[in-house]
Amino acid sequence: MGYTKNEWLKRVEREKYNNACIYSIMTGGGFYVGSTRNFKKRKTNHTSCIKNINNQIPLYKKIRENNGVWIMHKLKDYPCANGEELRKEEQFWIDEFSPNLNPNRAFALRN
Protein backbone atom coordinates (compact mmCIF):
# COMPACT_ATOMS: atom_id res chain seq x y z
CA MET A 1 0.00 0.00 0.00
CA GLY A 2 1.43 3.37 -0.97
CA TYR A 3 1.24 6.53 1.09
CA THR A 4 1.16 10.13 0.02
CA LYS A 5 3.94 12.29 1.44
CA ASN A 6 1.55 13.85 3.99
CA GLU A 7 0.20 10.45 5.07
CA TRP A 8 3.75 9.15 5.48
CA LEU A 9 4.83 12.18 7.55
CA LYS A 10 1.78 11.84 9.83
CA ARG A 11 2.51 8.13 10.30
CA VAL A 12 6.16 8.81 11.17
CA GLU A 13 5.09 11.55 13.61
CA ARG A 14 2.61 9.20 15.32
CA GLU A 15 5.27 6.50 15.71
CA LYS A 16 7.53 8.98 17.52
CA TYR A 17 4.95 9.15 20.31
CA ASN A 18 4.14 5.43 20.66
CA ASN A 19 6.14 5.20 23.91
CA ALA A 20 5.21 8.57 25.35
CA CYS A 21 4.40 8.88 29.03
CA ILE A 22 3.63 11.30 31.82
CA TYR A 23 6.04 11.13 34.76
CA SER A 24 6.67 12.72 38.13
CA ILE A 25 9.78 13.59 40.08
CA MET A 26 9.79 13.86 43.88
CA THR A 27 12.61 15.32 45.95
CA GLY A 28 12.77 16.77 49.46
CA GLY A 29 9.29 18.31 49.54
CA GLY A 30 9.41 19.13 45.84
CA PHE A 31 7.15 17.66 43.18
CA TYR A 32 7.37 17.96 39.39
CA VAL A 33 5.27 16.60 36.51
CA GLY A 34 6.67 16.14 33.01
CA SER A 35 6.19 14.24 29.78
CA THR A 36 8.51 12.47 27.40
CA ARG A 37 8.68 10.17 24.39
CA ASN A 38 11.51 8.16 25.98
CA PHE A 39 11.42 7.70 29.77
CA LYS A 40 14.91 6.22 30.14
CA LYS A 41 16.54 8.90 27.96
CA ARG A 42 14.68 11.67 29.81
CA LYS A 43 15.84 10.35 33.17
CA THR A 44 19.43 10.39 31.90
CA ASN A 45 18.93 13.97 30.70
CA HIS A 46 17.57 15.05 34.10
CA THR A 47 20.62 13.44 35.76
CA SER A 48 22.95 15.48 33.54
CA CYS A 49 21.05 18.69 34.28
CA ILE A 50 21.24 18.07 38.03
CA LYS A 51 25.03 17.75 37.83
CA ASN A 52 25.32 21.06 35.94
CA ILE A 53 25.49 23.62 38.75
CA ASN A 54 24.95 26.42 36.23
CA ASN A 55 21.47 25.02 35.54
CA GLN A 56 19.28 27.01 37.93
CA ILE A 57 15.89 25.58 36.98
CA PRO A 58 13.90 25.14 40.23
CA LEU A 59 13.64 21.35 39.85
CA TYR A 60 17.40 20.89 39.60
CA LYS A 61 18.16 23.41 42.36
CA LYS A 62 15.77 21.57 44.70
CA ILE A 63 17.33 18.18 43.91
CA ARG A 64 20.82 19.55 44.60
CA GLU A 65 19.52 21.05 47.89
CA ASN A 66 18.26 17.53 48.71
CA ASN A 67 21.79 16.09 48.28
CA GLY A 68 20.96 14.74 44.83
CA VAL A 69 18.21 12.45 46.12
CA TRP A 70 15.23 12.19 43.79
CA ILE A 71 12.71 9.65 42.52
CA MET A 72 11.27 9.63 39.00
CA HIS A 73 8.41 7.34 38.04
CA LYS A 74 5.78 7.02 35.36
CA LEU A 75 2.36 8.28 36.23
CA LYS A 76 0.93 6.74 33.07
CA ASP A 77 1.84 5.55 29.61
CA TYR A 78 0.35 7.89 27.05
CA PRO A 79 0.87 6.83 23.44
CA CYS A 80 -0.46 9.65 21.30
CA ALA A 81 -0.25 11.21 17.84
CA ASN A 82 1.95 14.26 18.46
CA GLY A 83 3.64 16.63 20.88
CA GLU A 84 0.58 18.82 21.29
CA GLU A 85 -1.50 15.88 22.55
CA LEU A 86 1.30 14.91 24.94
CA ARG A 87 1.66 18.45 26.33
CA LYS A 88 -2.12 18.70 26.81
CA GLU A 89 -2.07 15.50 28.86
CA GLU A 90 0.92 16.74 30.85
CA GLN A 91 -0.97 19.97 31.56
CA PHE A 92 -3.97 17.96 32.77
CA TRP A 93 -1.74 16.28 35.39
CA ILE A 94 -0.08 19.58 36.32
CA ASP A 95 -3.53 21.07 36.92
CA GLU A 96 -4.59 17.95 38.85
CA PHE A 97 -1.59 17.85 41.23
CA SER A 98 -0.40 21.51 41.33
CA PRO A 99 3.28 20.50 41.57
CA ASN A 100 5.48 23.10 43.24
CA LEU A 101 8.44 22.65 40.84
CA ASN A 102 6.63 23.31 37.53
CA PRO A 103 7.19 27.03 36.96
CA ASN A 104 5.71 26.97 33.44
CA ARG A 105 2.60 25.56 31.84
CA ALA A 106 3.09 22.57 29.53
CA PHE A 107 0.26 23.68 27.29
CA ALA A 108 -1.70 26.91 26.93
CA LEU A 109 -4.77 27.40 24.80
CA ARG A 110 -4.27 29.89 22.01
CA ASN A 111 -6.81 32.65 21.46
Side-chain angles (χ1 to χ4, degrees), residues 75-89:
L75 292 173
K76 70 179 286 188
D77 289 317
Y78 191 72
C80 55
N82 56 51
E84 183 176 313
E85 284 185 14
L86 184 58
R87 286 187 306 277
K88 282 180 181 178
E89 185 67 12

Side-chain angles (χ1 to χ4, degrees), residues 14 16-22 36 76-82 85-86:
R14 261 193 319 274
K16 283 192 216 176
Y17 291 89
N18 283 346
N19 296 312
C21 70
I22 307 300
T36 184
K76 70 179 286 188
D77 289 317
Y78 191 72
C80 55
N82 56 51
E85 284 185 14
L86 184 58

Side-chain angles (χ1 to χ4, degrees), residues 64-80:
R64 286 192 293 269
E65 290 168 7
N66 195 40
N67 297 313
V69 177
W70 58 295
I71 298 168
M72 178 174 167
H73 73 274
K74 285 185 185 181
L75 292 173
K76 70 179 286 188
D77 289 317
Y78 191 72
C80 55

Side-chain angles (χ1 to χ4, degrees), residues 46-63:
H46 279 307
T47 300
S48 295
C49 290
I50 293 162
K51 292 177 183 177
N52 178 357
I53 61 169
N54 294 318
N55 191 328
Q56 295 298 307
I57 291 175
L59 170 64
Y60 305 131
K61 285 175 63 174
K62 186 69 170 177
I63 291 171

